[in-house]
Amino acid sequence: MEYEKMLYMANSEMPHSPHLKHTGPEQQFVSQSQPDPYSAYADNFDLSLLPQDSGIPTTVYQYNAPQIKIECVWDQEQQQQQQSQGQQQLTTRYSTSSSHQLIPPPPAYPHSVYPSPQSSPLQSEFLKFNTSYDCTSLSSPCPSLDAASIKQELHILPPSPPESNCETPSPRSVKAEPLDAEIEGFVDLNSLLQQQQQQQHQLPDTTDIKPDHQLLRECLEDTTFQKKHNLKPLALESFIGGLAEVRGDFEPVISLALEHAKREADAICAELQISPDPNAWTSAQVHAWLRSTLAQFKLPPVNNLELQFSEDGTALALLSEEEFMRRMPESGSTLHAQLEIWKMAYADQPTQQQQPQLEPIQQQWPTDYQLQNLDEYNEDSEDDEEMEVTTTPDVSTNTTTTTSTTTTSNNTTASGVKRTTGGRTGGGSHIHLWQFLKELLSTPQVNGTAIRWIDRNKGIFKIEDSVRVAKLWGRRKNRPAMNYDKLSRSIRQYYKKGIMKKTERSQRLVYQFCHPYHQ
DNA sequence: AACAAGGAAGGGA
DNA sequence: TCCCTTCCTTGTT
């Protein structure tokens, strides 16, 4: 169900324009007005074309999720048939689909699970979620985003931008080979269908049997998510022109997922009277958050929670997933992943939203308006003038806007290194470059294609996408002309200051933090 | 061409 | 004064 969401793009307008619509086996696209603009969502997935049994390619990379829609309805036989019927419109519309057909996963990978060489906490969490997921919950009329769904959406992150010089494969090439560890993902519909069939076999006499992909139908017909976020179907034409053009469309989805996380967190903040910034939590607030998250995910309560976690928020944020797992084998992964989402969500906030802990109840996540600006901030716009514009948060949104302050929260980490949580002021930021790089490194789910750890213990990291890292740095500092040449010059200044050093074996784009800056 | 290294000048807090 | 930013040259990959 999650990949379905990727087909809809956040849009500020209702989808008044005619929809592409399947009308049955003929698969004719017709233009018609819809009383309910969302009613076409389920129709876009003509499940009658799916075989009832196995034998269909249901394991797909998330990246190519929209392609499953094409592939399911567009096998070769149908193509020939429809061409012979002279359905010029459809043929034209899908004339390039053959070149976009899903390439089967490499044979080295198992059918249902593509292992990730560097499975992130979020990925592992999703895998856990995927394998233990109760199919019946798919039909829930209220598909609120839980952590797993957010995580999955976070893993649809597009690869590096076209102008990038990194080695990240393009969306086209990504289909044919193992993906970058940080962006690969999959949807195993086959396992879902098998679970559904098993349930049907186990309950042969129940009247609740749902034939003909009823489960998927219910999922697709459930437009609560789309209505809630005013989403519209993704125009298939955009795929004809190449996935590169679609790349930017994924970013709103990512922001949407982040927005969900932030809003959920916002509610929890209000309930627990805690800051949205985990680094600002006291030990008691850490315990409150842990309990709340355990309850939220219906995880078993942990005995001696206070004894197990004596850290404050700053120290908690530094704990590894392994440490979480060691302390809480059943829940550690989920809690760590959830904490990563909180950290990532808070790190993305503009400075005016990052306030000291004086009034935690007033600390809010970005408003929709600010998230929109965040999208602009994240996208690779060449229009640098746009970034110079300072905006005032829109008080008409449904979150409370607080009085703007330009406080940058400085915390001291457990290692004693001063840590700044990435605030931005109107004219740039006081964040140091090395702190910014660590910030990027701390969110591999988002920035793993741009910068990643080579050896975290030694503080060695590699800039995979120098252009992107430089752009991110320039945007953070409000320096539109920033490029890697300048950024690397700044990094080299750290050699003299003892913040960074050259690696033993000099490698391009590989740097190393000096102790204790990488702690 | 992209990157590495480093000198020099200057700006902003 | 610090921390970059910007520009530059030279050398390497």
Side-chain angles (χ1 to χ4, degrees), chain A residues 431-499:
Chain A
I431 189 174
H432 293 180
L433 175 57
W434 66 270
Q435 292 170 323
F436 176 76
L437 294 174
K438 281 189 68 179
E439 189 178 296
L440 296 183
L441 287 163
S442 70
T443 54
Q445 302 82 10
V446 178
N447 302 301
T449 57
I451 184 172
R452 64 181 177 87
W453 288 112
I454 297 289
D455 187 335
R456 189 166 193 166
N457 292 328
K458 293 181 178 176
I460 302 174
F461 65 94
K462 180 175 184 180
I463 295 175
E464 300 281 2
D465 187 343
S466 60
V467 175
R468 184 155 185 83
V469 171
K471 278 190 172 182
L472 290 170
W473 175 233
R475 288 171 183 179
R476 171 63 68 88
K477 295 296 294 286
N478 203 9
R479 290 285 179 177
M482 177 57 61
N483 55 30
Y484 179 71
D485 184 42
K486 298 169 186 173
L487 182 145
S488 63
R489 183 71 193 94
S490 294
I491 290 179
R492 288 193 298 273
Q493 303 277 24
Y494 288 151
Y495 293 160
K496 281 192 293 185
K497 297 172 184 171
I499 296 174

Side-chain angles (χ1 to χ4, degrees), chain A residues 5-23:
Chain A
K5 296 172 185 171
M6 295 162 52
L7 298 175
Y8 305 101
M9 310 312 299
N11 195 296
S12 58
E13 295 179 354
M14 295 289 284
H16 291 304
S17 58
H19 297 292
L20 296 174
K21 186 176 188 303
H22 291 183
T23 56

Side-chain angles (χ1 to χ4, degrees), chain A residues 222-239:
Chain A
D222 183 351
T223 60
T224 310
F225 180 88
Q226 292 85 351
K227 288 177 179 176
K228 183 177 179 182
H229 297 287
N230 195 19
L231 307 177
K232 69 175 186 180
L234 178 63
L236 290 174
E237 291 91 333
S238 58
F239 290 97

Side-chain angles (χ1 to χ4, degrees), chain A residues 277 279 346 351 354-356 407-411 419-423:
Chain A
D277 178 13
N279 286 293
Y346 184 75
T351 298
Q354 299 181 12
Q355 300 186 21
T407 305
T408 300
S409 60
N410 289 309
N411 299 310
R419 182 173 178 272
T420 307
T421 8

Side-chain angles (χ1 to χ4, degrees), chain A residues 80-99:
Chain A
Q80 292 170 350
Q81 180 183 357
Q82 292 180 358
Q83 282 176 339
S84 66
Q85 290 172 353
Q87 294 182 344
Q88 192 66 37
Q89 179 186 7
L90 187 58
T91 303
T92 302
R93 190 182 299 276
Y94 276 153
S95 59
T96 59
S97 66
S98 57
S99 63

